Amino acid sequence: MTQQVATSEANYIGGAWEESRSQSHIDIINPATADVLNRVPLAEEADVARAVAAASKAFPAWRRTPPQDRIQYLFRFRELLLRRLEDIARTVTLENGKTLAEARAEIQRGIENVEVACGIPTLMQGYNLEDVSSGIDEIMIRQPLGVTAAITPFNFPAMIPLWFLPYAIAAGNTFILKPSERVPLTAMLLFELLHETELPAGVVNLVVGAKPAVDALLHHPDVRAISFVGSTPVAKYIYREGSAHGKRVQCQGGAKNYVVVMPDADLEMTAKIVSDSAFGCAGQRCLAVSVAVAVGDVKKKFTDAVVGMASNIRTGNGLEKEVQMGPVITPESKSRILHLVEKGLHEGGKIALDGRNGLNGGKEGNFISPTILTDVAASNPLTSTEIFGPVLTVNHSETLDDAIQALSQSAYGNSSAIFTSSGAAARKFRYEAPTGNVGVNIGVAAPMAYFPFSGWKDSFMGVLHGQGKDAIEFYTDKKIVIERWPKEWSRKF
Ligand code: NAD
């Protein structure tokens, strides 16, 4: 039976929905209509302390639960995610603004992580060697850490929590999710489904809150590991503060992704893929292309082609079938993006596609339609800072070396891509581009769940990334056991 969640019961702690005693609340607003969808309390230190206590209490029995039994809950969770996919997608669209198709796709990518984590009985295995010295064997065992937590952003309300939760609990840890306070309704729905799996109380916990809840997690001595996804300034803060408090920390930060278009690229395919990458999810993806560098004489042809593609994108309420791009998350976000576009234009940039009036989006929502600029200087904030909106800049370089040099200037290193039909150019780019994810004729190089979600420079702080084998390493500690069993002792048998 699905448990009904009252608005004041936004926290799921120790296997039950809890009423927060917090005096501070936040309205959850539909970015397409400005309607208030819900009002939830923002967790305080005391709420987090109860979640950590519940997770600590659940840990000893959960880590002793055989991995094969632990993953049965994840198999059930996967079935529920599939069964309720449309409800989850609708919730994502309502509170985040992306289209239903985009919401369905992110849930699918989340489910893939649940599926990979179901391989834990194999993935978590250690290794051993007999006779490291005469009669002495050495064994490496992986053990769970204890209480772990993840702090997640607004832009993938369903998928990003699932980069962490399945691996953490499959490996025998207990877990606390602190989702973005702007999109907690999806997380609450995910926890309704987790409740239905009948996971033992305290194995998974949810606290809906803002900075005070994050700080309470960072400072709590019983939280062993923190995963973070969000903007770089917050990532740096969490990495610093979490490490100073003795925690294992992985922080995925912001991005500024470049794509290089070579003269030998298939222009029609390239324009379509770059347009999808720049404007999908209204540019609010950490892998969205933000700057296209056209090499040699291809700039005009590519700009015309990408403008042609982007001008056909219909902006509006993501619940409507024909809509291909939703709003940005808040009015403040819209003003910040428009301000950056103004700066680009003020300093010599030219507008190739003007979506600043939001066109057909509707006047209440935070709509900006696809916007394309050319000739923006490398030093301009539009080229150097993360925009996180539907804005693409097309610049020019004479050579591939110059293009790689241009993208290497970025403080970020999340993703880059090249479009070419030359193996040599692709190989050079793959070898030299200083980003953690690289696309070759791919616009959004999003790693599958069985590969780590990489990211370099200011886009990532830590050693082990989310997803794949990195996730197993992150959520376990290695124990080395060295055993002596002298030969003489076996003579007794
Ligand atoms: P954000 O940094 O504002 O918020 C992320 C989380 O941090 C939220 O849970 C929020 O409550 C918390 N938070 C915000 N300010 C805080 C503070 N001062 N102290 C402590 N906690 C704080 O990010 P956002 O706007 O929700 O998400 C967009 C950002 O996330 C973009 O920069 C985007 O590039 C990045 N992102 C990165 C990846 C990646 O894989 N590298 C993936 C998705 C999003």
Side-chain angles (χ1 to χ4, degrees):
M1 239 332 259
T2 301
Q3 184 171 339
Q4 288 303 314
V5 182
T7 310
S8 58
E9 294 179 337
N11 297 333
Y12 181 82
I13 297 176
W17 291 97
E18 264 205 10
E19 197 144 336
S20 170
R21 278 153 241 162
S22 166
Q23 294 308 304
S24 101
H25 290 73
I26 186 166
D27 286 339
I28 310 305
I29 294 168
N30 181 338
T33 60
D35 290 337
V36 177
L37 298 166
N38 216 321
R39 185 172 165 77
V40 296
L42 289 173
E44 293 171 344
E45 195 179 344
D47 299 303
V48 172
R50 281 199 305 285
V52 178
S56 301
K57 190 169 166 215
F59 177 64
W62 183 243
R63 73 159 286 202
R64 283 175 172 75
T65 304
Q68 185 63 27
D69 295 347
R70 292 200 296 255
I71 61 172
Q72 298 312 313
Y73 297 96
L74 290 176
F75 282 118
R76 257 174 258 159
F77 185 41
R78 175 186 179 275
E79 291 312 304
L80 290 165
L81 287 167
L82 286 170
R83 204 183 304 158
R84 297 287 300 279
L85 198 139
E86 284 306 309
D87 293 340
I88 307 167
R90 199 181 151 77
T91 308
V92 169
T93 297
L94 280 171
E95 66 179 353
N96 167 282
K98 66 178 66 174
T99 66
L100 277 177
E102 290 167 341
R104 290 184 192 112
E106 78 152 282
I107 299 162
Q108 194 52 51
R109 298 305 299 264
I111 290 171
E112 285 162 16
N113 281 278
V114 179
E115 290 167 350
V116 172
C118 285
I120 210 79
T122 311
L123 293 170
M124 204 176 154
Q125 288 175 12
Y127 46 85
N128 58 63
L129 185 67
E130 285 183 335
D131 294 319
V132 290
S133 188
S134 181
I136 298 182
D137 303 333
E138 188 158 340
I139 304 166
M140 191 284 273
I141 302 168
R142 284 200 178 83
Q143 295 191 335
L145 306 175
V147 179
T148 61
I151 298 153
T152 54
F154 81 84
N155 65 328
F156 284 93
M159 178 183 76
I160 292 183
L162 298 180
W163 282 354
F164 307 109
L165 183 150
Y167 301 101
I169 66 170
N173 302 282
T174 53
F175 183 82
I176 301 167
L177 174 67
K178 204 302 288 173
S180 164
E181 65 277 26
R182 286 182 252 167
V183 293
L185 306 180
T186 306
M188 289 162 72
L189 185 45
L190 295 181
F191 272 73
E192 280 188 50
L193 305 189
L194 287 163
H195 183 79
E196 279 190 57
T197 68
E198 299 183 349
L199 266 166
V203 172
V204 292
N205 305 274
L206 172 72
V207 284
V208 172
K211 182 170 165 54
V214 172
D215 286 342
L217 285 168
L218 287 171
H219 299 152
H220 200 298
D222 295 342
V223 175
R224 291 285 319 280
I226 298 223
S227 306
F228 170 84
V229 182
S231 60
T232 289
V234 182
K236 286 185 172 170
Y237 168 72
I238 286 177
Y239 193 66
R240 205 172 51 236
E241 200 69 7
S243 306
H245 286 80
K247 299 176 199 325
R248 183 175 294 196
V249 193
Q250 53 179 191
C251 292
Q252 299 182 212
K256 185 79 189 173
N257 304 313
Y258 281 64
V259 58
V260 174
V261 181
M262 297 298 287
D264 62 1
D266 175 330
L267 264 198
E268 201 184 323
M269 177 191 85
T270 304
K272 164 94 180 74
I273 296 176
V274 171
S275 170
D276 287 350
S277 173
F279 305 118
C281 297
Q284 297 174 119
R285 284 191 289 204
C286 67
L287 296 175
V289 169
S290 179
V291 181
V293 183
V295 173
D297 61 2
V298 78
K299 181 167 166 243
K300 171 142 179 32
K301 276 189 279 178
F302 171 69
T303 307
D304 291 347
V306 78
V307 166
M309 288 289 172
S311 50
N312 289 325
I313 294 175
R314 190 175 161 79
T315 309
N317 187 330
L319 289 179
E320 288 167 22
K321 221 172 169 187
E322 64 283 6
V323 162
Q324 294 155 299
M325 194 181 93
V328 296
I329 189 73
T330 56
E332 296 73 34
S333 187
K334 178 174 174 174
S335 315
R336 186 185 53 79
I337 295 162
L338 294 180
H339 179 68
L340 280 166
V341 172
E342 291 308 325
K343 274 197 136 166
L345 292 174
H346 187 67
E347 291 175 23
K350 300 185 187 76
I351 196 114
L353 181 63
D354 193 351
R356 286 175 290 173
N357 66 3
L359 292 174
N360 41 22
K363 66 177 174 9
E364 301 301 339
N366 316 316
F367 294 103
I368 304 174
S369 288
T371 298
I372 300 177
L373 284 87
T374 62
D375 306 299
V376 180
S379 57
N380 190 282
L382 195 66
T383 323
S384 56
T385 56
E386 180 173 39
I387 302 175
F388 227 55
V391 181
L392 174 71
T393 302
V394 182
N395 282 345
H396 171 254
S397 279
E398 269 315 316
T399 63
L400 177 55
D401 277 318
D402 291 348
I404 294 174
Q405 179 64 22
L407 74 93
S408 303
Q409 302 301 315
S410 174
Y412 298 102
N414 218 30
S415 174
S416 60
I418 185 167
F419 285 80
T420 182
S421 52
S422 155
R427 207 256 175 194
K428 177 182 170 69
F429 188 81
R430 189 184 78 185
Y431 197 86
E432 294 182 14
T435 64
N437 303 292
V438 171
V440 176
N441 297 317
I442 296 281
V444 179
M448 298 298 287
Y450 27 86
F451 285 93
F453 194 107
S454 195
W456 289 7
K457 296 161 79 179
D458 273 2
S459 296
F460 182 72
M461 278 124 254
V463 178
L464 296 164
H465 298 268
Q467 295 197 152
K469 289 181 196 155
D470 271 30
I472 314 303
E473 294 288 326
F474 184 78
Y475 284 120
T476 56
D477 245 341
K478 295 181 194 72
K479 183 177 275 181
I480 302 299
V481 182
I482 305 179
E483 300 180 344
R484 185 195 305 275
W485 299 106
K487 207 164 58 213
E488 307 80 63
W489 294 7
S490 60
R491 287 204 197 102
K492 295 178 197 153
F493 304 107

